[in-house]
Amino acid sequence: MDGVALHAQAVSAMDEFRFADAADLCRRAIEALCADGGPDQPDVANVLTLLGAAEDELGRHDVAEQHHRRSLAVLAAVPGSGGDLTRLLVQARLGLAGSLRRQGRYGEAEAAYLPALAVAEEAPEYGELDLVPIWNELGILFKFAGRFDEAERWYGRAVDVLAGALGPDDPQLAAIYHNLAGLAHSRGRPVEAEPYARRSLRLQRAAHPEDHPAVIADEAHLGAILEAAGKLAEAEPLLRHAVAYFTERYGPGHYEVAVNLHNLAAVRAGQGAMAEAEELYLRALAGKRDSLGADHPEVGLTLHNLAALAADRGDLAGALTLATEARRILTAAVDPGHPARTAAEASVAALTGVRTS
């Protein structure tokens, strides 16, 4: 089968959330394209960008980054500009930016996103609807970096354009509502987050079967928000289902498993099941370190929650060690004033004061 046909199959596999299949098809497509026309053609760059996206979804971000950078290198050597070449260049830059963002390298990600947006805004090939995915990606980046007002502005632009062009119930709005829920959650506003999460879930259920990964992910997201709102009984089954579903689909070390283990642990801690909560947090910590790296800010979040558990059972020395490591990671990764960083700093101060008093 030729490379173009294999690439088309890979696109279909990505759309169906079959990321391992997509990566395999991309590798075969690249091999076929290189054999036919050499490694330095735009079609190879296009497939490399898709391969990087598949590897990112599989949690292999270091490998994904290499594919995105190779795609950009191929495109930099192609003569000419405009048309399809502009679109390929923008997508390659966005792919690299997303990979860097997933690795917690927020400053580098911003430096990749903004030139991609500038090129797209100037290109006649791009209309407002084409810019929406870029605005959404910038919102995600700034939310994780703790720059919440900037995130809200980008999400707001995306919602206004999508809803205006497609109507308020178009399935494409689900991702933006999901992210607006996440933004409110990160700001510590679960009451504001819950309606967005439920609206996103409603749109996903209208567009997909009940066992579709997008539906399960939105159920899990709602579960995390319900936990923050103190609705633990409603949150628990959603999160347990998500852990089981993503473990079966992607394996126990995948990021989706780790993040839902973390949220389930928070539920169980809130229900007083401290031993189970600690075991779940430790599994989440191992999964996050494996999929994201030891210094990713999400590792810091789980370390901080483990510190709180240690403090609750009277292990103040252990709690201080965990909270100090969480503070170190978060200080390096997110802006001052980020709620997670502020909480870790406060925990270290409080635990230090207890030990020295």
Side-chain angles (χ1 to χ4, degrees), residues 5 14 17 85 92 108 122 181 215 235-236 244 248 252 283 289 297 300 303 339 342 353:
M14 286 292 288
F17 290 68
L85 191 58
E108 293 175 72
E122 294 296 322
V215 174
E236 183 181 356
E248 180 179 0
R283 287 169 59 193
R289 281 173 167 164
L303 284 167
T342 300

Side-chain angles (χ1 to χ4, degrees), residues 47 67 260 283:
V47 183
H67 294 313
N260 285 300
R283 287 169 59 193

Side-chain angles (χ1 to χ4, degrees), residues 35-58:
D36 185 48
D40 298 324
Q41 53 182 308
D43 283 345
V44 171
N46 192 21
V47 183
L48 282 166
T49 295
L50 187 64
L51 176 56
E55 294 287 10
D56 272 322
E57 292 293 349
L58 291 167

Side-chain angles (χ1 to χ4, degrees), residues 261-282:
L261 284 168
H262 174 105
N263 293 331
L264 179 57
V267 168
R268 296 301 287 146
Q271 293 170 330
M274 297 305 184
E276 183 185 0
E278 182 177 22
E279 185 265 335
L280 292 167
Y281 276 134
L282 289 171

Side-chain angles (χ1 to χ4, degrees), residues 11-284:
V11 171
S12 295
M14 286 292 288
D15 290 342
E16 296 167 3
F17 290 68
R18 295 186 290 110
F19 304 124
D21 291 342
D24 179 64
L25 287 162
C26 283
R27 285 188 285 268
R28 291 168 56 196
I30 290 167
E31 184 178 352
L33 289 167
C34 289
D36 185 48
D40 298 324
Q41 53 182 308
D43 283 345
V44 171
N46 192 21
V47 183
L48 282 166
T49 295
L50 187 64
L51 176 56
E55 294 287 10
D56 272 322
E57 292 293 349
L58 291 167
R60 298 195 285 255
H61 304 305
D62 54 342
V63 176
E65 183 183 346
Q66 293 173 22
H67 294 313
H68 292 307
R69 291 192 184 280
R70 184 180 163 196
S71 177
L72 283 167
V74 171
L75 292 170
V78 175
S81 62
D84 288 342
L85 191 58
T86 295
R87 286 193 175 274
L88 291 177
L89 180 61
V90 170
Q91 290 306 311
R93 286 177 173 170
L94 292 176
L96 175 61
S99 189
L100 294 169
R101 187 257 300 164
R102 287 177 172 89
Q103 295 175 68
R105 293 156 62 183
Y106 300 138
E108 293 175 72
E110 183 178 1
Y113 274 127
L114 293 181
L117 176 62
V119 170
E121 287 177 331
E122 294 296 322
E125 298 84 1
Y126 280 80
E128 274 198 319
L129 280 175
D130 298 306
L131 296 175
V132 165
I134 308 176
W135 298 340
N136 184 47
E137 285 288 325
L138 282 165
I140 295 170
L141 169 66
F142 291 131
K143 189 269 282 191
F144 277 112
R147 294 159 62 180
F148 298 143
D149 290 343
E150 291 172 82
E152 185 174 17
R153 283 196 294 272
W154 289 113
Y155 288 147
R157 290 178 70 179
V159 167
D160 289 345
V161 169
L162 270 181
L166 305 176
D169 292 324
D170 189 272
Q172 293 182 58
L173 280 160
I176 313 297
Y177 291 135
H178 176 108
N179 292 336
L180 282 166
L183 176 61
H185 187 201
S186 294
R187 281 173 151 164
R189 303 173 184 174
V191 173
E192 178 184 326
E194 187 178 339
Y196 283 126
R198 292 193 184 277
R199 189 168 189 180
S200 175
L201 179 56
R202 177 176 62 80
L203 293 177
Q204 295 288 15
R205 284 175 169 163
H208 301 294
E210 280 291 314
D211 63 346
H212 192 278
V215 174
I216 307 303
D218 262 22
E219 289 178 349
H221 195 223
L222 176 60
I225 289 164
L226 292 170
E227 181 277 322
K231 300 177 180 180
L232 305 182
E234 188 179 355
E236 183 181 356
L238 295 173
L239 292 166
R240 287 198 185 277
H241 183 212
V243 168
Y245 177 92
F246 289 119
T247 299
E248 180 179 0
R249 189 175 185 92
Y250 300 133
H254 193 270
Y255 167 76
E256 289 288 350
V257 177
V259 73
N260 285 300
L261 284 168
H262 174 105
N263 293 331
L264 179 57
V267 168
R268 296 301 287 146
Q271 293 170 330
M274 297 305 184
E276 183 185 0
E278 182 177 22
E279 185 265 335
L280 292 167
Y281 276 134
L282 289 171
R283 287 169 59 193

Side-chain angles (χ1 to χ4, degrees), residues 307-329:
L309 284 185
D312 285 343
R313 68 169 181 265
D315 179 10
L316 299 184
L320 180 58
T321 298
L322 290 163
T324 300
E325 179 64 1
R327 181 186 63 177
R328 180 191 69 78
I329 292 170

